[in-house]
Amino acid sequence: MKKYNVGIIGATGMVGQRFATLLENHPWFEVKVLAASGRSAGKTYKEAVGNRWAMKTAMPEKFSDMIIMNAEEDIDAIAKSVDFVFCAVNMKKDEIKALEEAYAKHECPVISNNSAHRFTPDVPMVVPEINADHIEIIEAQRKRLGTKRGFVAVKSNCSLQSYVPALYPLDKDFGVEDALVCTYQAISGAGKTFETFPEIVDNVIPFIGGEEEKSEKEPLKIWGHIENGEIVNADKPHFTAQCLRVPVSDGHMAAVFVRFNKKPTKEQILKIWAEYKGAAQELELPSAPKQFLNYFVEDNMPQSKLNRDLEGGMAISIGRLREDTQYDYKFVCLSHNTLRGAAGGGVLLAELLAAKGYFD
């Protein structure tokens, strides 16, 4: 695989920092540009981040003295310097949409961690193990934008990465009809640490703005299909969700209750989870977990602290599968929200697009 030059737009925020750590020694991608708001532009990365570095590892030395470019004013220069960009900016939704399309129209593909374009009908929202075929919509998007190379592709909401991968493989044979999901979401999902979010200590907050709507609607786009230049959402499964912020640094957990059209046995479910592979595994993408879905037989597993970093934080952990009195089955699942759920998922999506030639 050839090396691609890349930029990180929104490099100073928590997800941007995570992109920096993941891309420090990436075999396919070489970071040439770090960009952020006008407040940070002109400073070194080290100066711009200051005491807000939130990663457990040190800031990569190779980036610390890079000069931050202006994400909005330097689009032309950035687009000429890189093959594509990762975007993780903190702006209003309409501003993000405009910014990402501006990069695309400068013939610079955008891999977005933001939610702004998730429901744009010709923008693929991809979990590479599940709906990799949705990247084919990019040709229709390019026609709309009038571009040859430029496009926007997004990853889904971080909390979906725990329960959608567990449910999706079961749908083909058994038909997932209804799913009730309660998510217990780490504070890094809000861009916080315990130092910057003291009110979460010894506390649970039973509301995360916009999260329940995303948790119920975004899976239907992932389950959807391409038709007449758009991704058409699926009609089901029917999802209902409650989302809680809990005092955990990293790792989103979900308690899932599921009803099938044709009820499988427990053994059938476990076999499907153990054997399931997607495009990320078939293509042997660098960030892909070798075992995507991992089932733990112990009653007290998975646990956020013990299992969130499984396979570099890119694998999904599942446990406590048992029959339910109202639904067919219930289980719990866990994913690392800033790795699989955010920057890592974005890097994996970029690897898929690179392997399929979308940056050439």
Side-chain angles (χ1 to χ4, degrees), residues 43-104:
K43 299 177 182 177
T44 65
Y45 191 39
K46 183 168 52 183
E47 291 168 343
V49 173
N51 61 4
R52 293 181 296 112
W53 184 256
M55 301 295 104
K56 289 169 185 168
T57 55
M59 178 183 287
E61 232 175 274
K62 66 195 289 188
F63 303 146
S64 63
D65 291 324
M66 285 180 69
I67 302 298
I68 301 290
M69 298 183 74
N70 190 310
E72 295 179 270
E73 295 179 6
D74 296 334
I75 294 175
D76 190 54
I78 293 169
K80 287 174 180 172
S81 303
V82 299
D83 296 303
F84 69 93
V85 295
F86 295 99
C87 189
V89 294
N90 183 14
M91 300 164 67
K92 292 178 181 174
K93 198 166 280 194
D94 57 342
E95 294 173 345
I96 295 172
K97 275 188 171 183
L99 183 72
E100 291 180 345
E101 286 206 355
Y103 275 93

Side-chain angles (χ1 to χ4, degrees), residues 159-164 166 180-185 242 251-257 302 304 317-320 330-335:
S159 64
L160 273 65
Q161 306 284 340
S162 57
Y163 60 88
V164 166
L180 183 155
V181 180
C182 293
T183 62
Y184 305 87
Q185 300 186 205
Q242 286 230 87
H252 287 354
M253 187 170 284
V256 182
F257 300 78
S304 303
S317 301
I318 313 172
R320 302 206 68 212
K330 54 191 171 187
F331 58 89
V332 296
C333 42
L334 171 74
S335 62

Side-chain angles (χ1 to χ4, degrees), residues 149-164:
R149 287 188 75 252
F151 64 87
V152 179
V154 302
K155 51 152 288 300
S156 70
N157 190 40
C158 52
S159 64
L160 273 65
Q161 306 284 340
S162 57
Y163 60 88
V164 166

